Amino acid sequence: MADIAAAVHLTPSHAMTVFRRTVGVTLGQYVTMCRVAEAQRLLLTTSLRVTEIAEAAGFGSLSSFYEHVSEACGMTPREYRRQRR
């Protein structure tokens, strides 16, 4: 957030407020949404292993990957891949 705030000449606190007001979610939530979207794309378009997809999508741990993808999709990453292909 500090880099974003500096780029737009705002304090980090104000930049976070403006971001949330404009986008409707916090920066952290937005980044997670982007990571989940990338994971979904990779699950459907590649034959990478689930662990490789978690890393490629930027998740710090496999448990975090499973938690966020399962919450967003209503199923585990493996189930998502199997049902959508």
Side-chain angles (χ1 to χ4, degrees):
M1 181 46 74
D3 292 340
I4 293 169
V8 294
H9 307 292
L10 296 173
T11 65
S13 176
H14 188 61
M16 287 189 335
T17 299
V18 170
F19 185 91
R20 184 174 184 146
R21 196 176 300 142
T22 303
V23 180
V25 294
T26 66
L27 181 60
Q29 290 168 323
Y30 181 78
V31 169
T32 298
M33 290 167 51
C34 292
R35 287 179 177 155
V36 168
E38 176 65 0
Q40 289 174 305
R41 184 187 73 77
L42 292 170
L43 285 164
L44 298 180
T45 63
T46 72
S47 58
L48 292 172
R49 294 186 328 233
V50 171
T51 54
E52 294 171 317
I53 290 172
E55 184 179 332
F59 286 94
S61 70
L62 195 56
S63 62
S64 176
F65 170 71
Y66 268 88
E67 176 188 339
H68 290 293
V69 172
S70 296
E71 182 180 316
C73 300
M75 61 189 80
T76 68
R78 284 188 177 91
E79 291 169 334
Y80 181 82
R81 174 181 264 170
R82 197 171 37 246
Q83 286 189 12
R84 301 283 190 247
R85 278 191 162 177

